[in-house]
Amino acid sequence: MKQCTHADALPHPEPEPTSETCLECLAAGTHPVQLRLCLECGNLSCCDSSPLRHATEHFKETGHPVMRTFEPDESWRWCFVDHVLA
């Protein structure tokens, strides 16, 4: 089974969110479906179910590999590089 090779290198504690919502969605006049937190820098952005997929765009621009859900009562993480739950 494939595993995330990046989770061990994440900062501890995890970074604080840089905003309260996806600022890119706010600027574009769209609404995030759900939010994702970059575990490298704290960028808060929208999920792939949102129209503009800003979490994926953040990964493409920065190379930051792991994000986690920022939804209440959820705690999963996703590694963009390894394409697995981390």
Side-chain angles (χ1 to χ4, degrees):
M1 180 152 99
K2 191 172 181 181
Q3 294 185 342
C4 172
T5 58
H6 303 91
D8 290 341
L10 294 172
H12 294 285
E14 69 182 39
E16 292 292 321
T18 58
S19 62
E20 294 183 11
T21 191
C22 179
L23 296 179
E24 291 88 355
C25 281
L26 191 62
T30 62
H31 299 284
V33 174
Q34 290 190 342
L35 295 171
R36 306 292 183 246
L37 177 70
C38 174
L39 294 179
E40 186 78 25
C41 70
N43 181 69
L44 196 60
S45 49
C46 64
C47 69
D48 282 358
S49 295
S50 298
L52 300 175
R53 302 174 51 162
H54 290 118
T56 295
E57 290 305 310
H58 177 75
F59 162 69
K60 289 177 182 177
E61 291 172 7
T62 65
H64 295 166
V66 183
M67 61 86 190
R68 76 162 172 87
T69 180
F70 201 68
E71 295 302 309
D73 302 319
E74 293 183 7
S75 61
W76 57 267
R77 298 172 171 196
W78 177 254
C79 179
F80 285 100
V81 175
D82 296 317
H83 303 283
V84 294
L85 291 173

